Amino acid sequence: ENAIPYYEKAIKAIERFNGPNHPRLGFPLFALGEVRQAQKQFDQAEALYRRALQIRTAKLGSEHVLLADPLMGLGEIQLARQQPKAAIPYFERALNVRKSGAGGAVRKANTLFALARALWEANQDRARALQLAESAYHLYSQAGKPAEKKHYDVKLWLAKRGVRPKT
């Protein structure tokens, strides 16, 4: 919350000196979207994520790994709105751009687990949802201490669905 004025100031400065569609806007737009999402201001967060996605897509193309973060944000907003079917395409696309492994194992695991949750909550391809969650579990396990909580969260999510991850 304390970061809001800094992100807003950065956005205004970049727009003023470089124009409204400059690639440098991608990060502060995304970061401000995360803050707004955490505040449950979903409409504002969605607009910020969409703008970051549009700018990054125009500059980097439709398959660049930097598209994954705003796509994840858009998907998480749909889950928060209890619209898991609407979240699935965002998570699928984020997973597709992260297939190369760029962005790191934890981010890929985040994407796998988000897609698993959306599929499960939408009652679509639950077998795949469990497989994705298990893959996320193993990636978090490999990440070690920084991902311990997420590792535990996935383990608990799987256990609630009667699955014990293979070690």
Side-chain angles (χ1 to χ4, degrees), residues 3-164:
I4 292 172
Y6 298 105
Y7 291 135
E8 289 175 341
K9 195 179 283 187
I11 291 166
K12 286 178 185 173
I14 294 168
E15 287 174 334
R16 184 172 48 248
F17 294 111
N18 300 300
N21 295 312
H22 195 275
R24 287 189 180 154
L25 283 166
F27 175 76
L29 288 168
F30 168 73
L32 185 55
E34 284 189 309
V35 174
R36 295 298 186 201
Q37 181 180 343
Q39 295 174 326
K40 301 197 182 322
Q41 296 175 359
F42 299 127
D43 291 342
Q44 288 181 359
E46 183 176 13
L48 290 161
Y49 288 145
R50 286 191 188 285
R51 186 167 172 216
L53 180 63
Q54 179 250 334
I55 289 169
R56 286 180 175 179
T57 301
K59 177 66 177 174
L60 304 169
S62 63
E63 299 300 317
H64 197 280
V65 71
L66 288 178
L67 303 182
D69 290 333
L71 287 166
M72 287 292 294
L74 290 165
E76 290 291 349
I77 287 171
Q78 297 307 318
L79 282 182
R81 290 175 170 159
Q82 298 180 358
Q83 297 176 346
K85 285 182 182 179
I88 292 169
Y90 294 117
F91 294 142
E92 290 280 14
R93 188 165 168 218
L95 182 59
N96 189 52
V97 299
R98 284 200 168 132
K99 279 195 175 175
S100 68
V106 171
R107 286 182 175 204
K108 185 172 183 180
N110 292 344
T111 307
L112 290 166
F113 188 46
L115 179 55
R117 292 185 348 257
L119 287 168
W120 189 271
E121 290 174 25
N123 199 21
Q124 292 185 4
D125 202 350
R126 287 190 157 178
R128 180 173 178 230
L130 296 174
Q131 291 172 340
L132 292 167
E134 274 201 71
S135 294
Y137 174 85
H138 292 296
L139 284 173
Y140 286 138
S141 175
Q142 294 167 8
K145 193 139 181 93
E148 278 181 355
K149 182 180 179 336
K150 291 180 179 188
H151 183 250
Y152 176 78
D153 291 345
V154 176
K155 183 177 182 179
L156 185 63
W157 187 89
L158 285 165
K160 287 180 180 178
R161 285 146 189 85
V163 176
R164 182 177 176 162

